[in-house]
Amino acid sequence: MKKSIGIIGYGNLGRGVALALQKSPDMSLAAVFTRRDPASISPLGGALSLPLADVASWRDKIDVMVLCGGSATDLPTQTVEYAGLFNVVDSFDTHARIPEHFSAVDKAARESGHLALISAGWDPGMFSLNRLYANAILPEGSDYTFWGRGVSQGHSDAIRRIPGVRDAKQYTVPVENALQAVRSGQRPQLETRQKHTRECFVVLEDGADAYDVERAIKTMPNYFADYDTTVHFISQEELNANHSGLAHGGMVFRSGVTGEQGEHTHIIEYRLTLDSNPEFTGSVLTACARAVCRMAAQGHRGCLTLFDVPPATLSIMTGEELRRHLL
Amino acid sequence: MKKSIGIIGYGNLGRGVALALQKSPDMSLAAVFTRRDPASISPLGGALSLPLADVASWRDKIDVMVLCGGSATDLPTQTVEYAGLFNVVDSFDTHARIPEHFSAVDKAARESGHLALISAGWDPGMFSLNRLYANAILPEGSDYTFWGRGVSQGHSDAIRRIPGVRDAKQYTVPVENALQAVRSGQRPQLETRQKHTRECFVVLEDGADAYDVERAIKTMPNYFADYDTTVHFISQEELNANHSGLAHGGMVFRSGVTGEQGEHTHIIEYRLTLDSNPEFTGSVLTACARAVCRMAAQGHRGCLTLFDVPPATLSIMTGEELRRHLL
């Protein structure tokens, strides 16, 4: 009996989950729930497209609901609300606010008797898992996380809010020298500026002053002021043609030591090179939906993260198959 | 209250576990058990050195026993035997025989009411975990595992058994072109010969024929015949001076696709660069000992692998600390 999966929010990420479900013979997409006109959406695989307002009537027909909204405004309320009705999975990625999100979702899920898994994806998600494993193995050492080369939605949005900017994309780019220093085992102390550069492609409004816009970008606190930033002004046509890709990736390192005097260095590197950030993230969320089905059936309630999930629970293979083929 | 850990077998690996326990404030090494003269061993941190024959009298004083013997002859019998007395962790690494080892250990541990975790280390171990996670996320794709550059104990032993050979070390070396092809997302079909080369440093007995020895190495079935093998004849002094290191490492890749037509490629790479193979493996076993303490206290019995262990269970940090600092 296939598990019945729902999706709330059918943008790039929701579509990534729907694609991943097509490769998961143990699960099927029952319905997509949307705030848009449901008739405007044709979910993959012939699943239903329904108004979000009707979601509560599906509470007994969905095994896991995958929440595919954004972390800024959607998930902080949606995951809490829908954990009252369903087992849920989300990709909440505002690192600093994970503890409070976890608490709120945990409370809602326990009260309603459901299981929630939050902050799945690649960072947080697979990168977090690698930080955890590597820290557990090498307690004496340093962590390094690099992102890119890939588009940062948050930084692109920040540029678009500047007066005179019509459109923009911002690439986060890891600094090659910093990567080499980490890989060499030196355990360098790296300032923000030494780890990443920021490359911006900006389309100006007619009559906007390029100098003013460039200065506004480069001096923007938090987003750009602490980085070496390059700004390229291009046409809308060029932005659409060359900068609409969804590729991303990054690397997590643990550089640690063992031995009586810390004389042996070990480098653990985990690297992702992704053609499509939302399709990869959707694939992680889909494996998490499988784990939530299984762990809910075992009696787990409340909120989890990938830290709490036995890895085998994510896989369609049996324990025996996993030991035979992947161990 | 610190957990009390025992070690059976105090070679390089046992010493690696003892070193890792010194960095683990929640565990302490109570005793080392050895088939050698206990007086000949001074375990790190002032732990006791005791005859293996006395181990049964420690059954109520050890929370987890870490078995540090070899996979060829020690662990197939030791892990089964000592799972009858203790919670145990081993690094059994004969991949083809893991299912039968798992069954035998599972039976012994269930009968005695203990918990066992087998095949921990880096391969099997951390590499296996990465294969599992990557396969669960990207069901459509190819796996690649490369080892080295590092000494293969099994291949070195095989050379030493050839008449006329006094001593030898064999390095497994990944082929750079193959790595590049995998990283590019091509999903190449790689023959054994295309993935690794084998480099041998051999000390001859007086009067041995170098030509015969080289031919015996290069034509040895399973070990060398399917590889491009280089043989260097050197003196014992040079072997001791330049080839006694314990560095190793390797890479696991998953190259997978998503999208309606598989149009997006994703590369997941996990890479280890280890100065000391036994100290890193010992560090993994030590984190596993922590997980076994906790899971045994939760009521788990029988045999597990890392596939069954919730990652947070390996870490000394609390769930809240992990979510705050590593998620």
Side-chain angles (χ1 to χ4, degrees):
Chain A
M1 180 69 183
K2 288 194 185 196
K3 295 297 176 183
S4 169
I5 309 298
I7 292 174
I8 292 180
Y10 202 68
N12 284 330
L13 179 57
R15 200 165 168 283
V17 173
L19 282 164
L21 285 168
Q22 296 192 314
K23 305 286 180 194
S24 305
D26 54 338
M27 296 184 274
S28 71
L29 178 59
V32 164
F33 299 89
T34 178
R35 285 177 297 211
R36 292 183 273 165
D37 174 10
S40 70
I41 293 173
S42 300
L44 288 165
L48 298 169
S49 176
L50 300 169
L52 181 55
D54 294 352
V55 74
S57 68
W58 281 72
R59 61 184 298 172
D60 297 323
K61 287 174 268 183
I62 297 282
D63 292 302
V64 178
M65 187 69 78
V66 184
L67 304 178
C68 295
S71 294
T73 57
D74 298 330
L75 298 176
T77 57
Q78 284 188 350
T79 311
V80 177
E81 178 178 353
Y82 298 119
L85 296 167
F86 302 97
N87 299 318
V88 294
V89 172
D90 85 13
S91 64
F92 184 76
D93 67 359
T94 311
H95 288 260
R97 299 187 59 194
I98 287 173
E100 74 187 271
H101 187 59
F102 183 92
S103 293
V105 174
D106 190 55
K107 184 165 178 289
R110 286 186 191 282
E111 282 173 6
S112 71
H114 288 101
L115 183 63
L117 195 165
I118 63 159
S119 298
W122 57 275
D123 194 5
M126 298 313 299
F127 275 17
S128 322
L129 278 173
N130 276 279
R131 288 188 282 261
L132 190 167
Y133 280 118
N135 274 267
I137 297 168
L138 298 173
E140 195 171 334
S142 306
D143 292 312
Y144 300 90
T145 302
F146 293 89
W147 299 276
R149 174 185 178 98
V151 169
S152 161
Q153 212 54 60
H155 288 79
S156 301
D157 290 345
I159 298 173
R160 281 193 289 262
R161 286 192 294 265
I162 295 172
V165 172
R166 180 196 290 172
D167 204 349
K169 285 286 170 77
Q170 190 270 186
Y171 293 87
T172 305
V173 186
V175 174
E176 195 54 46
N177 282 348
L179 293 178
Q180 281 177 18
V182 172
R183 285 200 184 103
S184 76
Q186 291 170 33
R187 290 171 67 185
Q189 290 267 3
L190 296 170
E191 305 288 319
T192 297
R193 188 181 300 277
Q194 295 173 296
K195 291 178 65 186
H196 296 95
T197 56
R198 299 202 173 276
E199 196 173 356
C200 312
F201 293 86
V202 179
V203 182
L204 291 174
E205 301 277 11
D206 289 344
D209 186 314
Y211 177 83
D212 287 350
V213 168
E214 181 162 348
R215 208 172 58 112
I217 295 172
K218 290 186 170 177
T219 59
M220 195 186 301
N222 301 320
Y223 285 88
F224 294 100
D226 298 334
Y227 297 86
D228 291 333
T229 301
T230 314
V231 180
H232 307 280
F233 293 102
I234 61 174
S235 68
Q236 186 74 54
E237 294 66 36
E238 194 181 338
L239 191 84
N240 296 349
N242 300 335
H243 302 286
S244 55
L246 298 167
H248 215 315
M251 287 143 277
V252 170
F253 293 89
R254 177 93 179 153
S255 177
V257 295
T258 62
E260 287 190 71
Q261 311 294 331
E263 64 272 25
H264 294 131
T265 294
H266 309 281
I267 315 283
I268 305 175
E269 175 176 353
Y270 181 76
R271 192 200 317 205
L272 295 176
T273 310
L274 310 177
D275 271 1
S276 166
N277 184 356
E279 288 181 12
F280 186 84
T281 303
S283 298
V284 177
L285 294 180
T286 300
C288 289
R290 174 181 295 121
V292 165
C293 286
R294 292 172 172 174
M295 294 180 76
Q298 290 164 6
H300 291 268
R301 299 292 179 265
C303 192
L304 305 175
T305 73
L306 276 166
F307 291 171
D308 309 300
V309 175
T313 316
L314 297 162
S315 170
I316 195 170
M317 295 166 81
T318 65
E320 192 179 342
E321 288 169 333
L322 290 171
R323 286 189 294 275
R324 191 173 297 277
H325 299 300
L326 298 181
L327 196 64
Chain B
M1 181 69 185
K2 288 192 186 199
K3 296 296 176 184
S4 168
I5 309 297
I7 292 173
I8 293 181
Y10 202 68
N12 284 330
L13 180 58
R15 201 164 167 282
V17 172
L19 282 164
L21 285 168
Q22 295 192 314
K23 305 285 179 194
S24 305
D26 54 338
M27 297 184 274
S28 71
L29 178 59
V32 163
F33 299 89
T34 179
R35 285 177 297 211
R36 291 183 273 167
D37 174 10
S40 69
I41 293 173
S42 300
L44 287 166
L48 297 169
S49 176
L50 300 169
L52 181 56
D54 294 352
V55 74
S57 67
W58 281 73
R59 61 183 299 170
D60 298 323
K61 287 173 269 185
I62 298 281
D63 293 302
V64 179
M65 188 67 81
V66 184
L67 304 178
C68 296
S71 294
T73 56
D74 297 330
L75 298 177
T77 56
Q78 284 188 350
T79 310
V80 178
E81 178 179 353
Y82 298 120
L85 297 167
F86 302 97
N87 299 318
V88 295
V89 172
D90 84 13
S91 64
F92 184 77
D93 67 359
T94 311
H95 289 260
R97 298 188 60 196
I98 287 174
E100 76 188 88
H101 188 59
F102 182 91
S103 293
V105 174
D106 190 56
K107 183 165 180 290
R110 285 185 191 281
E111 283 174 7
S112 71
H114 287 100
L115 183 62
L117 195 166
I118 63 159
S119 299
W122 58 275
D123 195 5
M126 298 313 299
F127 275 17
S128 322
L129 279 174
N130 276 279
R131 287 188 282 261
L132 189 167
Y133 279 119
N135 275 265
I137 297 168
L138 298 173
E140 195 171 334
S142 305
D143 292 312
Y144 300 91
T145 301
F146 293 89
W147 298 275
R149 174 184 177 100
V151 169
S152 161
Q153 212 52 60
H155 288 79
S156 302
D157 290 346
I159 298 173
R160 280 192 290 262
R161 286 193 292 266
I162 295 171
V165 172
R166 180 196 289 173
D167 203 351
K169 284 286 169 78
Q170 190 269 184
Y171 293 88
T172 304
V173 185
V175 174
E176 194 55 45
N177 283 346
L179 293 178
Q180 281 176 19
V182 172
R183 285 201 183 105
S184 76
Q186 292 169 35
R187 290 171 66 185
Q189 290 267 5
L190 296 171
E191 305 288 320
T192 297
R193 187 180 300 279
Q194 294 173 296
K195 290 178 66 187
H196 296 95
T197 57
R198 299 200 172 279
E199 195 173 356
C200 312
F201 293 85
V202 178
V203 183
L204 292 173
E205 301 277 12
D206 289 344
D209 185 315
Y211 177 84
D212 287 349
V213 167
E214 182 163 347
R215 207 172 59 112
I217 294 172
K218 289 186 170 178
T219 59
M220 194 186 301
N222 301 320
Y223 285 88
F224 294 99
D226 298 333
Y227 296 85
D228 290 332
T229 300
T230 315
V231 179
H232 307 278
F233 293 101
I234 60 175
S235 68
Q236 185 75 54
E237 293 66 34
E238 193 181 336
L239 192 84
N240 296 348
N242 300 334
H243 302 285
S244 56
L246 298 167
H248 215 315
M251 286 144 278
V252 170
F253 293 90
R254 177 92 178 155
S255 178
V257 296
T258 61
E260 287 190 71
Q261 310 293 333
E263 65 271 26
H264 294 133
T265 294
H266 309 281
I267 315 283
I268 304 175
E269 175 175 354
Y270 181 76
R271 190 200 317 204
L272 295 176
T273 310
L274 310 176
D275 270 1
S276 167
N277 184 356
E279 288 181 11
F280 186 84
T281 302
S283 297
V284 177
L285 294 180
T286 300
C288 289
R290 173 182 295 123
V292 166
C293 286
R294 292 173 173 176
M295 293 180 76
Q298 290 163 6
H300 291 268
R301 299 292 179 265
C303 192
L304 304 175
T305 72
L306 275 166
F307 291 170
D308 308 301
V309 175
T313 316
L314 297 161
S315 169
I316 195 171
M317 295 166 81
T318 65
E320 194 180 340
E321 289 169 332
L322 289 172
R323 286 189 294 274
R324 191 172 295 277
H325 300 299
L326 298 182
L327 197 64

